[in-house]
Amino acid sequence: MIKRQLEDCILRDFHRQKVIVLMGARQVGKTTILEHLQKDKDRTLSLNCDDSDDVLLLQDKTSTELRAMLTPYDLVLIDEAQRIRNVGLLLKKIGDLKLQTQVVATGSSSFDLANEVNEPATGRLIEYQLFPLSLAELAAHTSEREEGRMLNQRLVYGLYPEVVTHPDDARRTLMTITSNYLYKDILSYKGIKKPDILQKLLRAIALQVGSEVSYNELANLVGADKETVENYIGLLEKCYVVFRLESFSRNLRNEIKKGKKIYFYDNGVRNAILANFAPPEMRNDMGALWENFMMSERVKRNVYANSYARLFFWRTHDQKEIDLIEEEDGLLRTFEFKWSGKRTPRQPARFSQTYPSATYTVVSPDNFWTFVQ
């Protein structure tokens, strides 16, 4: 079994009399972590809220009823908790009880779970995010050398656990994930009225990875209005399919101030949406794949390390650009992603003159381990 970095973190937070919430897309390993948490626990109640019977056990219960239900157990696991109506209020009630019982809830969509939880349950929850496997987790399981050897495979097929553990069936696994799981929570959301637009939008985003996107252009491509496109992208973020980077702008007059880039949390999902699993030597999008891969790995690395760095890209109207800027504690770190080529890019002179304390690193297949760990 490939150990997840979050497992030890979650265990350290047991017995703090707070509800632990584990968020992440479907099929990234949340249920597996719950199974590991049960080890050496004699009295465990495990509920899966994809089962309506388990939902009814928790739905609309009073604090007294919850105390009576949960107290007999050392550990209570609530999988897919976003299925419970008013789940935020439920977790608030459980947190207020200050039980010795440890409650762990998971959710695959934050528009139901996090948005309801954050307000009413503030201070009563400890929240974690789980992503597809990270390169750091895989290197700890095998070695950096082995993962370096598998780099082309990872770039094309991504890092969903089942894809990694069953590589011979990776293509079918990814097509199943994108057709059966990726849209499941999104399409059940009351605001989604045109699923065909959602699929067209995902394809358009997949084709523009690494490039600045325009909501107006996307709207024209998919046949929708700008507001619909923005709402759908927001839902895709809340279901952990994509994430956005805003443009960095502080001092220069010609810096792009309102630009956006959109990346996928997993390369395999991106390629499945395009139905393109061609090997690297037959592709013309390897620069974009490398950039998406490194960007998603950096997000995992920062989240698991409890880093509060803010991520941006930078571009000027005369096409000078930097792929990634991290701003943390007043410091700027800048990165350029380079898949291949003899020419080593340099930090744009106007940027280095305006932000002289910023560091600059080119991230390539020769040196990426220091960037992702």
Side-chain angles (χ1 to χ4, degrees):
M1 298 298 295
I2 300 168
K3 186 173 181 180
R4 307 307 300 268
Q5 289 179 279
L6 285 185
E7 284 188 34
D8 290 340
C9 299
I10 292 172
L11 286 171
R12 284 196 294 269
D13 282 326
F14 272 27
H15 309 301
R16 290 182 57 188
Q17 295 185 316
K18 293 179 183 288
V19 177
I20 293 174
V21 177
L22 181 60
M23 306 289 294
R26 291 177 179 272
Q27 305 293 301
V28 296
K30 301 187 301 297
T31 303
T32 301
I33 286 184
L34 294 189
E35 292 171 356
H36 290 181
L37 296 177
Q38 294 182 58
K39 292 179 180 178
D40 303 322
K41 297 289 189 299
D42 295 327
R43 301 179 302 165
T44 299
L45 174 63
S46 183
L47 303 172
N48 186 336
C49 294
D50 278 336
D51 186 330
S52 57
D53 288 338
D54 285 353
V55 171
L56 290 174
L57 286 175
L58 296 164
Q59 191 79 62
D60 301 324
K61 290 295 187 289
T62 67
S63 296
T64 301
E65 290 171 324
L66 289 169
R67 184 185 296 276
M69 181 192 304
L70 303 179
T71 299
Y73 300 98
D74 298 317
L75 179 64
V76 174
L77 306 174
I78 308 173
D79 206 2
E80 301 299 344
Q82 79 277 356
R83 297 295 183 205
I84 304 168
R85 186 177 67 251
N86 295 324
V87 64
L89 180 59
L90 169 71
L91 297 182
K92 176 182 182 296
K93 288 179 182 177
I94 294 173
D96 285 339
L97 292 174
K98 299 293 183 181
L99 302 175
Q100 294 303 310
T101 304
Q102 178 62 61
V103 176
V104 181
T106 76
S108 57
S109 53
S110 63
F111 56 76
D112 279 327
L113 188 52
N115 284 354
E116 291 188 53
V117 165
N118 286 345
E119 287 302 320
T122 301
R124 300 166 180 87
L125 304 181
I126 300 172
E127 186 172 324
Y128 288 98
Q129 290 177 290
L130 185 68
F131 304 103
L133 291 163
S134 70
L135 284 175
E137 289 170 330
L138 290 174
H141 181 70
T142 56
S143 66
E144 289 184 10
R145 181 179 180 181
E146 175 64 15
E147 281 309 306
R149 188 180 70 81
M150 295 294 294
L151 186 59
N152 285 354
Q153 170 88 1
R154 307 303 189 214
L155 279 164
V156 174
Y157 291 98
L159 294 171
Y160 266 75
E162 190 174 349
V163 168
V164 170
T165 57
H166 297 84
D168 293 341
D169 210 22
R171 185 183 303 231
R172 183 170 66 173
T173 298
L174 284 165
M175 297 307 289
T176 300
I177 288 172
T178 54
S179 60
N180 293 350
Y181 298 110
L182 193 67
Y183 313 127
K184 185 172 183 179
D185 293 321
I186 304 174
L187 294 180
S188 66
Y189 184 63
K190 60 185 179 182
I192 296 294
K193 298 177 181 177
K194 298 180 179 179
D196 57 321
I197 290 179
L198 181 67
Q199 294 175 8
K200 290 178 183 177
L201 179 61
L202 272 168
R203 181 174 174 82
I205 294 170
L207 289 168
Q208 295 187 39
V209 160
S211 301
E212 191 176 349
V213 299
S214 160
Y215 289 165
N216 285 325
E217 290 180 10
L218 288 174
N220 290 332
L221 280 172
V222 304
D225 58 78
K226 178 184 174 183
E227 184 178 354
T228 296
V229 165
E230 191 164 2
N231 288 339
Y232 280 22
I233 290 173
L235 290 174
L236 289 168
E237 282 190 295
K238 292 170 182 175
C239 286
Y240 301 98
V241 180
V242 302
F243 60 95
R244 281 182 279 195
L245 251 63
E246 305 288 338
S247 59
F248 180 88
S249 176
R250 293 294 186 273
N251 297 311
L252 289 176
R253 180 176 298 177
N254 69 338
E255 287 175 327
I256 299 292
K257 293 179 170 58
K258 294 184 178 180
K260 292 178 178 61
K261 287 187 177 184
I262 303 176
Y263 296 94
F264 286 82
Y265 280 110
D266 186 75
N267 272 32
V269 166
R270 183 263 184 184
N271 290 333
I273 288 167
L274 297 176
N276 182 4
F277 297 106
E281 62 271 16
M282 296 177 61
R283 304 184 73 103
N284 60 8
D285 61 352
M286 285 309 298
L289 277 186
W290 179 246
E291 182 174 335
N292 192 93
F293 193 50
M294 288 295 99
M295 200 72 76
S296 60
E297 285 301 300
R298 190 65 172 188
V299 168
K300 297 173 194 175
R301 178 253 184 206
N302 287 355
V303 169
Y304 294 162
N306 288 319
S307 167
Y308 295 97
R310 300 172 65 202
L311 306 185
F312 304 91
F313 74 95
W314 180 83
R315 191 166 73 83
T316 63
H317 289 287
D318 56 357
Q319 306 304 310
K320 299 292 188 282
E321 60 183 331
I322 294 173
D323 290 333
L324 173 63
I325 296 176
E326 277 189 348
E327 183 180 36
E328 186 173 25
D329 298 330
L331 301 176
L332 295 179
R333 295 183 289 268
T334 70
F335 303 93
E336 192 73 19
F337 303 117
K338 190 72 172 175
W339 168 246
S340 63
K342 297 180 179 180
R343 187 179 66 85
T344 300
R346 300 177 63 183
Q347 189 181 58
R350 294 195 66 186
F351 188 92
S352 58
Q353 292 164 7
T354 308
Y355 310 101
S357 62
T359 62
Y360 182 70
T361 304
V362 177
V363 181
S364 74
D366 296 326
N367 68 344
F368 68 92
W369 282 112
T370 56
F371 178 75
V372 302
Q373 291 181 314

